[in-house]
Amino acid sequence: MASPRKLSTAISLLSSALRRRQLHLAPPFLLDDYTPRYQHLSSIDASKKRSAAYAHLKNCNLCPRFCGVNRYEKTGVCLIGAETAKVSVIAPHFGEEPCIQGHNGSGSVFFSGCNLRCVFCQNHTIAHQRNGFDVTPKELAEWYIKLQDVGNVHNINLITPEHVVPQVVLSILHARELGLRLPIVYNTSAFDSLDSLDLLDGLVDIYLPDFKVWDNATSKRLLKADDYAATARDSIKKMHEQVGDLCFTSDGIAKKGLLVRHLVMPGKESEGQQIMHWMGSNLSRDTFVNIMEQYHPDAHVGKSRRASRSCEGSPLIVVEPGGERSVESRPESRRYEDINRSITATEISSIRKAAEHAGLWRFVEHARHEGFNL
């Protein structure tokens, strides 16, 4: 019989090994096979979702902006109407997590427009400038089928879809009738209303939210949104209730569940640490996490200031995105100078350590080369 000291040492070594483990395909995260959730939807439930989608477009409350506009007559903050969605790119995409893109790519649909106004937006030419072409829900469904049959992709990846959820719902239901059999990925900023997520329940297989910032002052200044963190917390909890932890088939491709992203930002590591602590305490500790390192100054960050009045000793009145004005007491040479730099290894590691301390252990491990993360 082992001595208590040897037993204690063995337990300590096992505990250390478990903390270091990177195996994500062990039960209960391994699926023998998977059928997308929308395939199980009854014709009655599908009809109810169609009716709800049309109703929401007439009184739009599908994001926390709660514009309440009739999108058949006018647009709200997102500037997108009711009959169509605006799309920038539809193609197999190899810039996602390995378990999402696989070797054949993720069937990505990049929607133009957004319900946030992030000053650092890494896709601002799509989200802010609304470049792209208009497609109806039926045309979107036909594109899904092309991605499946011709592109041989692993999933349909809907990127920045928060403001076009009704069109997305209608497109998935139509694609089901056309023979779609791929999982649906909802790739979001987490600025979703609970009504929106209720409408998506039963249609989405993988939720891929990006929990950006924690403090209200930060979200108001950098995202142009009040109470972003509270909204994200409620939304992500709802997503987890619907689909659970991330699960895979034996080929390493994710089929269902929640994967939470966090983009590390300059000087905001304390907010990232709070986000990790919240996930460890309020979601499952088996939540799959991607601590993203690709931040770079973009969009409005680092640009010269546009000032309506600037006198020595007087406040600087700055025109913000969307035409809003803010008063800065100390003029700087560049806008958002505090985030006008790359992130550091220390900032990244501090958030990773906070995640591990919170009990999280399933992480996306980034490639150590400059190529795709295969």
Side-chain angles (χ1 to χ4, degrees), residues 6-246:
K6 288 183 178 179
L7 186 60
S8 176
T9 301
I11 293 172
S12 177
L13 289 172
L14 178 60
S15 177
S16 177
L18 288 172
R19 284 196 298 271
R20 291 196 305 271
R21 67 179 178 171
Q22 297 178 7
L23 181 64
H24 309 310
L25 297 183
F29 312 118
L30 180 62
L31 304 172
D32 291 330
D33 198 7
Y34 183 71
T35 302
R37 298 177 75 213
Y38 56 83
Q39 295 286 3
H40 300 290
L41 205 65
S42 70
S43 58
I44 294 174
D45 288 337
S47 180
K48 288 179 179 178
K49 286 192 179 293
R50 285 192 186 92
S51 298
Y54 287 121
H56 281 301
L57 286 169
K58 293 179 180 177
N59 181 24
C60 191
N61 60 353
L62 285 182
C63 86
R65 300 285 186 182
F66 297 113
C67 297
V69 300
N70 183 344
R71 288 171 64 171
Y72 288 96
E73 299 175 353
K74 59 186 292 190
T75 60
V77 173
C78 67
L79 303 177
I80 302 295
E83 302 285 355
T84 61
K86 189 174 286 292
V87 173
S88 176
V89 176
I90 302 176
H93 184 48
F94 294 88
E96 304 288 20
E97 290 80 357
C99 61
I100 299 295
Q101 70 181 32
H103 288 278
N104 297 335
S106 178
S108 297
V109 181
F110 287 84
F111 290 101
S112 300
C114 186
N115 61 354
L116 290 177
R117 294 292 184 269
C118 301
V119 301
F120 55 87
C121 181
Q122 310 289 279
N123 290 318
H124 70 103
T125 56
I126 298 173
H128 290 190
Q129 299 175 12
R130 295 186 300 121
N131 295 323
F133 56 98
D134 294 326
V135 290
T136 65
K138 287 187 176 181
E139 289 170 336
L140 262 181
E142 292 166 359
W143 274 108
Y144 302 162
I145 299 300
K146 289 178 184 177
L147 287 168
Q148 172 183 271
D149 295 346
V150 180
N152 196 31
V153 296
H154 298 289
N155 46 59
I156 301 300
N157 187 355
L158 307 172
I159 301 174
T160 320
E162 301 92 329
H163 56 298
V164 289
V165 166
Q167 294 93 324
V168 161
V169 167
L170 295 171
S171 69
I172 294 171
L173 293 173
H174 186 62
R176 182 178 78 153
E177 297 174 356
L178 298 178
L180 185 68
R181 55 187 182 276
L182 296 177
I184 300 294
V185 180
Y186 187 77
N187 193 330
T188 171
S189 67
F191 198 52
D192 297 277
S193 73
L194 298 184
D195 284 341
S196 177
L197 296 175
D198 284 338
L199 186 57
L200 291 165
D201 191 12
L203 299 176
V204 171
D205 301 283
I206 298 173
Y207 281 107
L208 194 56
D210 178 10
F211 199 153
K212 298 177 182 293
V213 298
W214 184 264
D215 293 340
N216 285 339
T218 303
S219 68
K220 188 170 184 177
R221 177 172 178 254
L222 299 184
L223 313 186
K224 307 305 173 188
D226 295 326
D227 297 325
Y228 165 82
T231 299
R233 289 192 293 267
D234 290 342
S235 297
I236 292 172
K237 286 179 72 173
K238 185 84 165 180
M239 295 172 191
H240 187 259
E241 288 172 6
Q242 289 184 13
V243 297
D245 296 318
L246 197 65

Side-chain angles (χ1 to χ4, degrees), residues 303-311 314-320 325-326 328 331-332 335:
K303 289 187 176 180
S304 299
R305 291 179 172 275
R306 291 183 294 147
S308 58
R309 180 172 63 88
S310 179
C311 301
S314 299
L316 183 70
I317 302 175
V318 179
V319 181
E320 300 285 1
R325 296 187 174 198
S326 64
E328 300 283 348
E332 296 173 332
R335 303 184 68 191

